[in-house]
Amino acid sequence: MELKRLDTEDLEIILGTLKEFAEREMPLEKRLEWDKEDHCPEDLVRSMLGPDVGLHLLFIPEECGGMGGGAYDVYRLSTEFARIDLGVATSMLAVALGTDPIRVGCTPEQQQKWMGRIAEEGLVVAYGVTEPEAGSNLENLKTTADRITDDSGRVTHYKLNGVKQFISNGGIADLYTFLVNAPDGPTFFVVERGVEGLSVGTEAVKNGIRLSNTTQVILEDVVIPAENIVGAKEGEGIKQSNEVFGFTRLMVAAFGLGGGLAGLERAIAFSRERVAFGTLLREKQGYTHKLLVPNSVRLAAARAYIEYVADLLDSTEEDRQVEGSVAKLLATEYGDRAAEDAIQALGGYGYCTEYEVEKIKRDTRILTIYEGTSEIQQNIIGVFRIRQNVRSKGAFYNNMADEVAGLEHVGGKAVARAARFLSDASVLAFKKKLIRQQHAIFEMAWAMAETELAVALCRAAAKSDDEVLQAQSRIWAAEVALGVPSRLLKLYSSSGILDEAEMKDMIEKADLNGAIALQAGGVADMDLVAKAITAD
Ligand SMILES: Cc1cc2nc3c(=O)[nH]c(=O)nc-3n(C[C@H](O)[C@H](O)[C@H](O)COP(=O)(O)OP(=O)(O)OC[C@H]3O[C@@H](n4cnc5c(N)ncnc54)[C@H](O)[C@@H]3O)c2cc1C
């Protein structure tokens, strides 16, 4: 399998460049100051895209002057950036998002023109999709693009009108890609800053990622040439934005991983130094097994899944929208949880700004909202995966079970049980029309995502001889073995869709006694992980 990605050496150079740049330009004191002032350091964003650093080049194909990085490279850069600061990382995300419609939708000539300029001039790009009345629901777009024709009836220009909401880099961008309703449907247009009629509206005052710039952008009779339509054809916008979701959601998933690691690492460092009741916090089992170990396990599962999806994206041409949703849903939820627990782990210090974890938590909070909320991801995962599993007559999840069942030393047997039960439960949900209830779709989606992460972690742990990763995999497998059937039994029982005999049959199939037996050894595994992650 040939993977489209950079050489390890080149990737390490880029990660090293980011590290040096961050140490030099954005030390902690500065970041805390900008956060307090709610200030986006525009010069810093520009130097990140300037000739000496050029992080954006990773997203741009080689033929357009970039480095042509793959999904794996983007995941690594995004994770490391999120560990430093999610606000500035969001500026970079906006450049990548704004460039994406051009990358997937433009004609080769347009790509050379626009991406060539973004690469060479280091343009700050913004992605303008959301509107005041259209966030999750893009069918409600109100912005319009009216055709302007010459005497022969040829369309020469478009006139754009409307308001875009919550646009990252909105107030500092040189170039925008806007999704606007044209006569033949939603269409991406490339618009340059400075064009008459484009103005920057109110800047959002935000809870977190305060180092990023988020504004309304107002379009009032903005006239742009017809050649600025992405792909030179109206009505392709929704298709183009769907095409990049596998990729962009993986990037936000990596932000979840990086943000969560930033919180967890600070909590671990604190536990190595803080003494309470005569011993270090790291020696208190209740503390480590509540605030550190579960987060290290969830983030290990998220990382394994992200790497699995990056491999898929780098080795095939498919868009992988559902896998992008699974990664985004749980990596961002787990990252946010790890940041939340980091505040608790630092006690009163965690609540005070100078220890940074309260900022990390405010920053990670956005991740379950932008690039498609967690609820939108649950909807996508539930609808598509139930369909996929039903069409395959249950083979979709049963095959996963078969694959990991033999990997007993990393919890494969426990994961296989969950996957098989999930397969049966989702087929039954279809037969019994339970899927007409959105709550059922959401609950199933969560169980599916947790199971898929467990499969990925089993695979990764089985390939490795790292005993900490293997213990993390067993802990997660045990969690899923009990958690998935419990969640689904509760769903079925509370929905009242099964009669007594059917419900009894389902409870028997779930075999919770068996799942409880598989919890054996869990505390010893948690002890092992706690000791390893808090070691000096
Ligand atoms: C800091 C920040 C930066 C952003 N950057 C950008 C950017 O650069 N470009 C851009 O285009 N947009 C950007 N956004 C917008 C962001 O993507 C949207 O806010 C997000 O998609 C949610 O849309 P909404 O705010 O309209 O909320 P809504 O869509 O109104 O959602 C409100 C709530 O309802 C839930 N909900 C919605 N539909 C359903 C459903 N069918 N079933 C169940 N629940 C549902 C949602 O999950 C959410 O909990 C940004 C937002 C923020 C806050």
Side-chain angles (χ1 to χ4, degrees):
M1 170 170 81
E2 202 191 321
L3 296 171
K4 288 172 283 181
R5 58 176 61 156
L6 300 180
D7 292 341
T8 315
E9 221 172 89
D10 289 344
L11 177 60
E12 289 307 324
I13 291 173
I14 293 170
L15 297 178
T17 305
L18 169 65
K19 192 163 174 262
E20 276 167 27
F21 173 73
E23 280 168 4
R24 194 179 60 240
E25 303 289 341
M26 42 195 299
L28 179 61
E29 313 82 71
K30 272 198 181 172
R31 283 185 278 123
L32 291 179
E33 195 183 309
W34 288 327
D35 176 70
K36 190 172 167 194
E37 290 168 359
D38 202 352
H39 169 70
C40 166
E42 182 179 343
D43 291 350
L44 183 112
V45 173
R46 291 199 179 277
S47 51
M48 169 176 94
L49 309 173
D52 294 338
V53 184
L55 293 179
H56 64 302
L57 297 177
L58 194 70
F59 308 103
I60 298 176
E62 280 178 287
E63 55 277 21
C64 297
M67 298 182 75
Y72 180 84
D73 307 309
V74 170
Y75 134 64
R76 291 288 309 279
L77 179 70
S78 303
T79 306
E80 290 313 309
F81 216 144
R83 275 166 94 161
I84 300 163
D85 185 88
L86 266 169
V88 185
T90 294
S91 263
M92 181 191 72
L93 170 74
V95 173
L97 284 178
T99 308
D100 264 334
I102 301 173
R103 187 171 59 83
V104 301
C106 272
T107 62
E109 297 74 39
Q110 288 178 317
Q111 285 183 346
Q112 282 297 339
K113 176 178 171 187
W114 298 114
M115 283 203 288
R117 280 192 56 197
I118 295 168
E120 198 183 321
E121 297 171 35
L123 299 181
V124 177
V125 188
Y127 181 68
V129 171
T130 305
E131 297 181 4
E133 290 172 59
S136 305
N137 180 11
L138 292 182
E139 283 173 18
N140 215 21
L141 284 184
K142 296 279 190 282
T143 44
T144 53
D146 295 320
R147 294 173 187 157
I148 301 175
T149 51
D150 63 12
D151 293 345
S152 67
R154 191 175 63 93
V155 180
T156 58
H157 292 80
Y158 285 84
K159 193 191 285 179
L160 311 187
N161 276 291
V163 176
K164 289 292 176 182
Q165 179 82 347
F166 298 140
I167 305 307
S168 301
N169 292 345
I172 61 171
D174 305 304
L175 198 74
Y176 300 83
T177 41
F178 289 122
L179 186 67
V180 181
N181 262 328
D184 284 348
T187 304
F188 275 109
F189 291 87
V190 181
V191 179
E192 292 198 58
R193 181 76 180 265
V195 62
E196 202 176 327
L198 185 152
S199 61
V200 176
T202 329
E203 181 168 352
V205 178
K206 306 189 292 291
N207 176 237
I209 56 164
R210 296 167 68 125
L211 274 62
S212 70
N213 168 271
T214 318
T215 68
Q216 280 193 334
V217 181
I218 299 155
L219 304 165
E220 279 172 313
D221 291 340
V222 172
V223 176
I224 54 157
E227 61 255 29
N228 287 25
I229 282 193
V230 168
K233 190 169 167 237
E234 291 177 18
E236 301 285 301
I238 298 290
K239 194 179 105 211
Q240 288 157 351
S241 68
N242 283 341
E243 257 178 67
V244 296
F245 274 146
F247 203 81
T248 56
R249 287 183 174 156
L250 190 73
M251 214 174 146
V252 183
F255 280 6
L257 174 62
L261 287 173
L264 178 62
E265 284 157 3
R266 281 156 187 79
I268 289 173
F270 191 78
S271 81
R272 291 187 186 123
E273 286 172 8
R274 179 74 173 170
V275 175
F277 297 95
T279 57
L280 289 172
L281 288 175
R282 71 175 173 188
E283 283 156 32
K284 298 179 191 308
Q285 196 195 34
Y287 177 93
T288 54
H289 292 20
K290 177 182 175 189
L291 299 172
L292 307 183
V293 174
N295 290 308
S296 90
V297 170
R298 283 189 285 261
L299 293 177
R303 184 192 288 282
Y305 192 79
I306 289 172
E307 292 192 351
Y308 160 73
V309 181
D311 278 353
L312 288 179
L313 287 168
D314 285 344
S315 58
T316 62
E317 294 297 315
E318 288 173 51
D319 63 30
R320 301 292 175 181
Q321 210 195 126
V322 188
E323 284 80 6
S325 291
V326 170
K328 184 187 186 272
L329 173 66
L330 290 190
T332 61
E333 292 281 351
Y334 294 165
D336 189 48
R337 176 72 191 276
E340 169 72 22
D341 283 351
I343 297 181
Q344 188 70 14
L346 267 71
Y349 300 96
Y351 200 64
C352 298
T353 50
E354 70 178 282
Y355 287 82
E356 210 194 348
V357 287
E358 67 82 34
K359 171 180 175 295
I360 294 172
K361 165 61 195 166
R362 284 186 286 108
D363 288 353
T364 56
R365 191 63 195 83
I366 187 60
L367 301 175
T368 65
I369 298 173
Y370 69 22
E371 257 313 88
T373 64
S374 286
E375 293 70 40
I376 294 303
Q377 310 310 332
Q378 280 175 267
N379 218 38
I380 293 170
I381 296 163
V383 168
F384 281 89
R385 284 296 195 238
I386 291 170
R387 194 184 301 160
Q388 217 167 351
N389 195 52
V390 168
R391 280 193 186 151
S392 69
K393 300 191 173 56
F396 186 78
Y397 283 110
N398 284 330
N399 287 347
M400 280 187 206
D402 291 345
E403 186 195 334
V404 296
L407 307 175
E408 218 167 312
H409 65 302
V410 291
K413 190 174 155 196
V415 176
R417 286 169 58 99
R420 288 194 213 290
F421 187 71
L422 180 58
S423 176
D424 288 350
S426 63
V427 171
L428 190 63
F430 180 77
K431 274 193 201 143
K432 291 282 177 184
K433 303 190 172 40
L434 181 58
I435 54 167
R436 288 187 183 165
Q437 297 185 26
Q438 199 192 27
H439 172 64
I441 301 270
F442 276 31
E443 286 296 288
M444 293 217 158
W446 198 277
M448 288 165 162
E450 284 190 336
T451 307
E452 291 186 37
L453 260 61
V455 170
L457 184 55
C458 267
R459 278 192 203 115
K463 273 193 226 144
S464 157
D465 51 13
D466 178 352
E467 62 169 16
V468 179
L469 188 66
Q470 295 188 348
Q472 288 171 323
S473 181
R474 286 191 296 272
I475 295 169
W476 188 244
E479 179 80 24
V480 165
L482 193 56
V484 164
S486 302
R487 179 183 290 272
L488 298 176
L489 286 177
K490 181 176 174 196
L491 168 67
Y492 270 95
S493 181
S494 59
S495 71
I497 213 140
L498 300 182
D499 64 28
E500 208 176 311
E502 287 168 327
M503 194 65 222
K504 195 164 165 256
D505 183 44
M506 200 172 188
I507 293 170
E508 263 167 37
K509 264 196 193 149
D511 182 21
L512 290 186
N513 288 339
I516 288 165
L518 285 167
Q519 306 299 311
V523 174
D525 277 335
M526 289 206 283
D527 290 344
L528 185 156
V529 173
K531 197 160 178 227
I533 62 176
T534 61
D536 293 320

